[in-house]
Amino acid sequence: MTESWPAPRPIGPVASVVSLPGSKSLTNRALVLAAIADGPGVVRRPLRSRDTLLMAAGLRAMGVGVEDRDDDWLVTPRPMVGDAAVDCGLAGTVMRFVPPIAGLARGRIAFDGDPHMRNRPVGEVLAALTALGIRVEDEGRGALPFTVVGTGTVPGGTVVIDASASSQFISALLLAGARYEHGVDVRHDGKPVPSLPHIEMTVAMLRERGVDVDDGDANRWAVAPGIVAALDQAVEPDLSNAAPFLALAATSGGSVTVRDWPEHTTQPGDALREILVAMGCTVERVTGPDAGLRVTGGDTIAGIDLDMHDIGELTPAVAALCALADSPSHLRGIGHIRGHETDRLAALATELTGLGADVTEHADGLTIRPAALHGGVFHTYADHRMAHAGVIVGSAVDGVLVEDIATTGKTFPDFAGVWTGVVGPA
């Protein structure tokens, strides 16, 4: 049985400076692009966590060189020949981004992961790969486990998919598309695509490598065939991982600075700046030795009415903060996060209610009203963002026990140690 971790509560307003590990989203995209580039490239200051280590291991299994160079990874593209097995763990990016490049290998590439991953959606990607000329063996499941039978080349062309469950479906095809004989022309047909900033991130990284991407029409992204130029890529801090630390400024009435916050970024976590202002915080950029973004909490936390369709990964942290607010909140447009590491809407409603919160779960969101919270066990469902929600509540409520805090290692090694260093021991 997994032990529960006593979430520490600060004894007064915090005043801290935090350095975050690199972005998982940027790291795994950089690794995939480096693996199919026209020469060796360096991924600088990558995140080294379970998700990114699984990506590196999966690429190595297919023959790509991924070597440690101090804090960096040197990636050397090599012919991907022979059978291989790729462990996806709980990493959606591995499950969705690697199969499109596995079609460029010569061999049978088998994919599987943790038990819960067999429930996460990937069927649209597999169907798209089949339409683009890649043989996929999944016994009709449209889910893990499956095998991609690579022949070394992929015809490519036009494909229509429904990406309303995940923007990763589109990014997966775009990342590999330049290496297909006819490129790839991806057309979305369905409800609005969630997390569009992640597609914008993919497009920006492709263009940095000289890839021709046409995204001028709504719900259509076309990648022309051509080379993917080798590039040394510096990885930004993971701004979504900043959420619990910046929320701590609000819950403690203190101040938290996140170092090296980029001036311009495609990361969805950048939306925290506006969200926290709306909830009563002061947000400012600071210069000097600790240059970055500083958030200072106000006297109270205000509730919000927010469409989070494009920034769904921030929902657990924002919902936790809303449970501590002095006015009602409504978070909407996030039905797609039911297909994340767990059904995050159901999990948040269950766990916040278990600590005394007044939560109503809707098909696409949550309504959270002010209520007196109390201690208890906050279950995480092997979901790192749920653990973030638990520690945020614990920073303002005595006796919160976060189950399986180690799940934060998915994107933040030693999160518990860093959090304790900022907050103080329980």
mmCIF file with all atom_site columns, all heavy atoms in Angstrom, residues 68-79:
data_model
loop_
_atom_site.group_PDB
_atom_site.id
_atom_site.type_symbol
_atom_site.label_atom_id
_atom_site.label_alt_id
_atom_site.label_comp_id
_atom_site.label_asym_id
_atom_site.label_entity_id
_atom_site.label_seq_id
_atom_site.pdbx_PDB_ins_code
_atom_site.Cartn_x
_atom_site.Cartn_y
_atom_site.Cartn_z
_atom_site.occupancy
_atom_site.B_iso_or_equiv
_atom_site.pdbx_formal_charge
_atom_site.auth_seq_id
_atom_site.auth_comp_id
_atom_site.auth_asym_id
_atom_site.auth_atom_id
_atom_site.pdbx_PDB_model_num
ATOM 1   N N   . ASP A 1 68 ? 24.228 10.903 -22.587 1.00 0.00 ? 68 ASP A N   1
ATOM 2   C CA  . ASP A 1 68 ? 24.384 11.938 -21.563 1.00 0.00 ? 68 ASP A CA  1
ATOM 3   C C   . ASP A 1 68 ? 25.643 12.743 -21.823 1.00 0.00 ? 68 ASP A C   1
ATOM 4   O O   . ASP A 1 68 ? 26.727 12.179 -22.024 1.00 0.00 ? 68 ASP A O   1
ATOM 5   C CB  . ASP A 1 68 ? 24.477 11.300 -20.173 1.00 0.00 ? 68 ASP A CB  1
ATOM 6   C CG  . ASP A 1 68 ? 23.165 10.665 -19.739 1.00 0.00 ? 68 ASP A CG  1
ATOM 7   O OD1 . ASP A 1 68 ? 22.114 11.189 -20.112 1.00 0.00 ? 68 ASP A OD1 1
ATOM 8   O OD2 . ASP A 1 68 ? 23.215 9.636  -19.026 1.00 0.00 ? 68 ASP A OD2 1
ATOM 9   N N   . ARG A 1 69 ? 25.514 14.047 -21.822 1.00 0.00 ? 69 ARG A N   1
ATOM 10  C CA  . ARG A 1 69 ? 26.645 14.963 -21.907 1.00 0.00 ? 69 ARG A CA  1
ATOM 11  C C   . ARG A 1 69 ? 26.473 15.995 -20.805 1.00 0.00 ? 69 ARG A C   1
ATOM 12  O O   . ARG A 1 69 ? 25.833 17.027 -21.007 1.00 0.00 ? 69 ARG A O   1
ATOM 13  C CB  . ARG A 1 69 ? 26.712 15.648 -23.284 1.00 0.00 ? 69 ARG A CB  1
ATOM 14  C CG  . ARG A 1 69 ? 27.059 14.699 -24.420 1.00 0.00 ? 69 ARG A CG  1
ATOM 15  C CD  . ARG A 1 69 ? 28.501 14.210 -24.335 1.00 0.00 ? 69 ARG A CD  1
ATOM 16  N NE  . ARG A 1 69 ? 28.828 13.223 -25.349 1.00 0.00 ? 69 ARG A NE  1
ATOM 17  C CZ  . ARG A 1 69 ? 29.353 13.531 -26.546 1.00 0.00 ? 69 ARG A CZ  1
ATOM 18  N NH1 . ARG A 1 69 ? 29.558 14.800 -26.857 1.00 0.00 ? 69 ARG A NH1 1
ATOM 19  N NH2 . ARG A 1 69 ? 29.635 12.586 -27.407 1.00 0.00 ? 69 ARG A NH2 1
ATOM 20  N N   . ASP A 1 70 ? 26.984 15.680 -19.622 1.00 0.00 ? 70 ASP A N   1
ATOM 21  C CA  . ASP A 1 70 ? 26.768 16.508 -18.435 1.00 0.00 ? 70 ASP A CA  1
ATOM 22  C C   . ASP A 1 70 ? 25.256 16.676 -18.226 1.00 0.00 ? 70 ASP A C   1
ATOM 23  O O   . ASP A 1 70 ? 24.555 15.693 -18.058 1.00 0.00 ? 70 ASP A O   1
ATOM 24  C CB  . ASP A 1 70 ? 27.486 17.853 -18.569 1.00 0.00 ? 70 ASP A CB  1
ATOM 25  C CG  . ASP A 1 70 ? 28.999 17.679 -18.659 1.00 0.00 ? 70 ASP A CG  1
ATOM 26  O OD1 . ASP A 1 70 ? 29.529 16.800 -17.956 1.00 0.00 ? 70 ASP A OD1 1
ATOM 27  O OD2 . ASP A 1 70 ? 29.632 18.418 -19.421 1.00 0.00 ? 70 ASP A OD2 1
ATOM 28  N N   . ASP A 1 71 ? 24.751 17.895 -18.254 1.00 0.00 ? 71 ASP A N   1
ATOM 29  C CA  . ASP A 1 71 ? 23.325 18.116 -18.027 1.00 0.00 ? 71 ASP A CA  1
ATOM 30  C C   . ASP A 1 71 ? 22.498 18.021 -19.309 1.00 0.00 ? 71 ASP A C   1
ATOM 31  O O   . ASP A 1 71 ? 21.279 18.219 -19.272 1.00 0.00 ? 71 ASP A O   1
ATOM 32  C CB  . ASP A 1 71 ? 23.096 19.501 -17.398 1.00 0.00 ? 71 ASP A CB  1
ATOM 33  C CG  . ASP A 1 71 ? 23.668 19.596 -15.995 1.00 0.00 ? 71 ASP A CG  1
ATOM 34  O OD1 . ASP A 1 71 ? 23.763 18.555 -15.322 1.00 0.00 ? 71 ASP A OD1 1
ATOM 35  O OD2 . ASP A 1 71 ? 24.018 20.720 -15.585 1.00 0.00 ? 71 ASP A OD2 1
ATOM 36  N N   . ASP A 1 72 ? 23.161 17.717 -20.435 1.00 0.00 ? 72 ASP A N   1
ATOM 37  C CA  . ASP A 1 72 ? 22.492 17.717 -21.733 1.00 0.00 ? 72 ASP A CA  1
ATOM 38  C C   . ASP A 1 72 ? 22.354 16.299 -22.271 1.00 0.00 ? 72 ASP A C   1
ATOM 39  O O   . ASP A 1 72 ? 22.907 15.339 -21.726 1.00 0.00 ? 72 ASP A O   1
ATOM 40  C CB  . ASP A 1 72 ? 23.285 18.568 -22.735 1.00 0.00 ? 72 ASP A CB  1
ATOM 41  C CG  . ASP A 1 72 ? 23.541 19.979 -22.243 1.00 0.00 ? 72 ASP A CG  1
ATOM 42  O OD1 . ASP A 1 72 ? 22.706 20.481 -21.461 1.00 0.00 ? 72 ASP A OD1 1
ATOM 43  O OD2 . ASP A 1 72 ? 24.570 20.568 -22.628 1.00 0.00 ? 72 ASP A OD2 1
ATOM 44  N N   . TRP A 1 73 ? 21.600 16.183 -23.379 1.00 0.00 ? 73 TRP A N   1
ATOM 45  C CA  . TRP A 1 73 ? 21.546 14.951 -24.151 1.00 0.00 ? 73 TRP A CA  1
ATOM 46  C C   . TRP A 1 73 ? 22.050 15.234 -25.560 1.00 0.00 ? 73 TRP A C   1
ATOM 47  O O   . TRP A 1 73 ? 21.583 16.165 -26.224 1.00 0.00 ? 73 TRP A O   1
ATOM 48  C CB  . TRP A 1 73 ? 20.120 14.425 -24.252 1.00 0.00 ? 73 TRP A CB  1
ATOM 49  C CG  . TRP A 1 73 ? 19.736 13.459 -23.173 1.00 0.00 ? 73 TRP A CG  1
ATOM 50  C CD1 . TRP A 1 73 ? 20.511 12.495 -22.611 1.00 0.00 ? 73 TRP A CD1 1
ATOM 51  C CD2 . TRP A 1 73 ? 18.450 13.350 -22.532 1.00 0.00 ? 73 TRP A CD2 1
ATOM 52  N NE1 . TRP A 1 73 ? 19.799 11.805 -21.663 1.00 0.00 ? 73 TRP A NE1 1
ATOM 53  C CE2 . TRP A 1 73 ? 18.546 12.300 -21.587 1.00 0.00 ? 73 TRP A CE2 1
ATOM 54  C CE3 . TRP A 1 73 ? 17.253 14.038 -22.669 1.00 0.00 ? 73 TRP A CE3 1
ATOM 55  C CZ2 . TRP A 1 73 ? 17.464 11.925 -20.787 1.00 0.00 ? 73 TRP A CZ2 1
ATOM 56  C CZ3 . TRP A 1 73 ? 16.178 13.660 -21.882 1.00 0.00 ? 73 TRP A CZ3 1
ATOM 57  C CH2 . TRP A 1 73 ? 16.285 12.621 -20.948 1.00 0.00 ? 73 TRP A CH2 1
ATOM 58  N N   . LEU A 1 74 ? 23.011 14.423 -26.027 1.00 0.00 ? 74 LEU A N   1
ATOM 59  C CA  . LEU A 1 74 ? 23.438 14.441 -27.417 1.00 0.00 ? 74 LEU A CA  1
ATOM 60  C C   . LEU A 1 74 ? 22.633 13.374 -28.148 1.00 0.00 ? 74 LEU A C   1
ATOM 61  O O   . LEU A 1 74 ? 22.689 12.191 -27.792 1.00 0.00 ? 74 LEU A O   1
ATOM 62  C CB  . LEU A 1 74 ? 24.929 14.145 -27.540 1.00 0.00 ? 74 LEU A CB  1
ATOM 63  C CG  . LEU A 1 74 ? 25.451 13.935 -28.964 1.00 0.00 ? 74 LEU A CG  1
ATOM 64  C CD1 . LEU A 1 74 ? 25.295 15.196 -29.808 1.00 0.00 ? 74 LEU A CD1 1
ATOM 65  C CD2 . LEU A 1 74 ? 26.905 13.464 -28.955 1.00 0.00 ? 74 LEU A CD2 1
ATOM 66  N N   . VAL A 1 75 ? 21.883 13.799 -29.162 1.00 0.00 ? 75 VAL A N   1
ATOM 67  C CA  . VAL A 1 75 ? 21.034 12.875 -29.917 1.00 0.00 ? 75 VAL A CA  1
ATOM 68  C C   . VAL A 1 75 ? 21.617 12.705 -31.306 1.00 0.00 ? 75 VAL A C   1
ATOM 69  O O   . VAL A 1 75 ? 21.809 13.685 -32.037 1.00 0.00 ? 75 VAL A O   1
ATOM 70  C CB  . VAL A 1 75 ? 19.589 13.393 -30.003 1.00 0.00 ? 75 VAL A CB  1
ATOM 71  C CG1 . VAL A 1 75 ? 18.709 12.388 -30.740 1.00 0.00 ? 75 VAL A CG1 1
ATOM 72  C CG2 . VAL A 1 75 ? 19.033 13.657 -28.609 1.00 0.00 ? 75 VAL A CG2 1
ATOM 73  N N   . THR A 1 76 ? 21.894 11.465 -31.674 1.00 0.00 ? 76 THR A N   1
ATOM 74  C CA  . THR A 1 76 ? 22.486 11.152 -32.979 1.00 0.00 ? 76 THR A CA  1
ATOM 75  C C   . THR A 1 76 ? 21.533 10.267 -33.762 1.00 0.00 ? 76 THR A C   1
ATOM 76  O O   . THR A 1 76 ? 21.310 9.104  -33.386 1.00 0.00 ? 76 THR A O   1
ATOM 77  C CB  . THR A 1 76 ? 23.838 10.433 -32.808 1.00 0.00 ? 76 THR A CB  1
ATOM 78  O OG1 . THR A 1 76 ? 24.702 11.219 -31.979 1.00 0.00 ? 76 THR A OG1 1
ATOM 79  C CG2 . THR A 1 76 ? 24.496 10.204 -34.156 1.00 0.00 ? 76 THR A CG2 1
ATOM 80  N N   . PRO A 1 77 ? 20.939 10.776 -34.833 1.00 0.00 ? 77 PRO A N   1
ATOM 81  C CA  . PRO A 1 77 ? 20.052 9.937  -35.641 1.00 0.00 ? 77 PRO A CA  1
ATOM 82  C C   . PRO A 1 77 ? 20.831 8.779  -36.270 1.00 0.00 ? 77 PRO A C   1
ATOM 83  O O   . PRO A 1 77 ? 21.963 8.960  -36.745 1.00 0.00 ? 77 PRO A O   1
ATOM 84  C CB  . PRO A 1 77 ? 19.534 10.899 -36.716 1.00 0.00 ? 77 PRO A CB  1
ATOM 85  C CG  . PRO A 1 77 ? 19.771 12.266 -36.164 1.00 0.00 ? 77 PRO A CG  1
ATOM 86  C CD  . PRO A 1 77 ? 21.015 12.155 -35.326 1.00 0.00 ? 77 PRO A CD  1
ATOM 87  N N   . ARG A 1 78 ? 20.252 7.604  -36.233 1.00 0.00 ? 78 ARG A N   1
ATOM 88  C CA  . ARG A 1 78 ? 20.854 6.417  -36.832 1.00 0.00 ? 78 ARG A CA  1
ATOM 89  C C   . ARG A 1 78 ? 19.761 5.616  -37.519 1.00 0.00 ? 78 ARG A C   1
ATOM 90  O O   . ARG A 1 78 ? 18.592 5.739  -37.162 1.00 0.00 ? 78 ARG A O   1
ATOM 91  C CB  . ARG A 1 78 ? 21.533 5.549  -35.760 1.00 0.00 ? 78 ARG A CB  1
ATOM 92  C CG  . ARG A 1 78 ? 22.741 6.211  -35.102 1.00 0.00 ? 78 ARG A CG  1
ATOM 93  C CD  . ARG A 1 78 ? 23.227 5.374  -33.934 1.00 0.00 ? 78 ARG A CD  1
ATOM 94  N NE  . ARG A 1 78 ? 24.350 6.018  -33.242 1.00 0.00 ? 78 ARG A NE  1
ATOM 95  C CZ  . ARG A 1 78 ? 24.654 5.778  -31.980 1.00 0.00 ? 78 ARG A CZ  1
ATOM 96  N NH1 . ARG A 1 78 ? 23.932 4.938  -31.255 1.00 0.00 ? 78 ARG A NH1 1
ATOM 97  N NH2 . ARG A 1 78 ? 25.686 6.388  -31.419 1.00 0.00 ? 78 ARG A NH2 1
ATOM 98  N N   . PRO A 1 79 ? 20.125 4.775  -38.494 1.00 0.00 ? 79 PRO A N   1
ATOM 99  C CA  . PRO A 1 79 ? 19.098 3.930  -39.116 1.00 0.00 ? 79 PRO A CA  1
ATOM 100 C C   . PRO A 1 79 ? 18.397 3.087  -38.057 1.00 0.00 ? 79 PRO A C   1
ATOM 101 O O   . PRO A 1 79 ? 19.047 2.436  -37.232 1.00 0.00 ? 79 PRO A O   1
ATOM 102 C CB  . PRO A 1 79 ? 19.915 3.059  -40.078 1.00 0.00 ? 79 PRO A CB  1
ATOM 103 C CG  . PRO A 1 79 ? 21.149 3.854  -40.367 1.00 0.00 ? 79 PRO A CG  1
ATOM 104 C CD  . PRO A 1 79 ? 21.463 4.587  -39.095 1.00 0.00 ? 79 PRO A CD  1
#
